[in-house]
Amino acid sequence: MLVERYDHFRQRLTRRLGSSDAAQETLHELYLRLDRSDSAGALQNPNTYLLTSAVNLARDRWRTEHRRAGRVDIDALYALIDENPGPDRIVESRLAVEALKRALEELTPRQREILIAVRYERLTQDEIAKRFKISARFVRRELQTALEHCESRLAKKI
């Protein structure tokens, strides 16, 4: 029936979908699906069945294409993102580094060395305590004091 009334279905589907190409592609896909050996037997209203099936296929294809188009647009947006910092962030970062340098200079030598040992050398507080021949509790207190000092200076960016 689809082959015999192909032009009729194509015209109706073209009006419904707004595109002759989409109607032809959909009818072709419908034919391929109906040609399978597991298709249903006799239908009460084959005309309606064929047209409804074609519209459903077209709707499925449209949804798939819209999803793909959405992904492509998102990928295009990611391609536009410049991950390099702008001039304002560069200046802000430089000011923060200068403020940190000044804050480190204001610490006692031992506080500075403890902070560097923890943050850059990744030493444990026990290892630092052995290095400076002080208690781990004193290391924690010196580290806390150093961190609070640096944090306050960076907040002010003096």
Side-chain angles (χ1 to χ4, degrees):
M1 177 179 197
L2 180 61
V3 173
E4 291 171 7
R5 303 195 64 208
Y6 178 81
D7 290 331
H8 168 75
F9 286 118
R10 186 177 45 78
Q11 288 172 353
R12 287 189 66 185
L13 205 52
T14 297
R15 279 194 301 268
R16 219 133 169 216
L17 300 177
S19 167
S20 178
D21 289 339
Q24 286 177 327
E25 286 178 30
T26 301
L27 287 172
H28 178 71
E29 187 174 341
L30 179 61
Y31 176 80
L32 293 174
R33 287 188 179 192
L34 290 173
D35 196 37
R36 295 185 309 208
S37 61
D38 65 341
S39 25
L43 299 170
Q44 289 191 3
N45 193 342
N47 236 0
T48 304
Y49 174 79
L50 289 173
L51 191 57
T52 302
S53 296
V55 169
N56 289 339
L57 282 172
R59 187 177 297 130
D60 290 345
R61 181 182 297 123
W62 181 83
R63 286 179 185 148
T64 301
E65 288 173 3
H66 264 58
R67 273 190 231 117
R68 281 190 200 129
R71 276 189 233 120
V72 169
D73 292 343
I74 290 170
D75 292 341
L77 289 174
Y78 278 124
L80 294 176
I81 295 173
D82 182 11
E83 294 190 17
N84 295 322
D88 55 332
R89 288 194 56 202
I90 291 172
V91 169
E92 187 176 316
S93 296
R94 286 182 181 159
L95 289 173
V97 168
E98 289 303 316
L100 180 59
K101 282 181 183 178
R102 283 193 302 273
L104 288 172
E105 289 171 0
E106 294 169 355
L107 295 173
T108 66
R110 183 169 49 201
Q111 288 173 340
R112 184 173 38 253
E113 288 178 37
I114 289 173
L115 182 61
I116 290 171
V118 168
R119 295 294 181 189
Y120 297 106
E121 295 177 38
R122 305 275 189 217
L123 296 178
T124 66
Q125 292 178 6
D126 289 333
E127 292 170 331
I128 296 169
K130 287 179 185 174
R131 177 188 286 182
F132 290 100
K133 297 182 174 99
I134 58 176
S135 70
R137 183 173 178 216
F138 194 67
V139 170
R140 280 191 291 280
R141 191 168 43 183
E142 289 283 84
L143 180 60
Q144 185 66 35
T145 302
L147 288 172
E148 287 172 356
H149 176 76
C150 290
E151 184 179 347
S152 70
R153 292 297 188 241
L154 285 173
K156 294 177 187 177
K157 288 187 185 169
I158 58 172

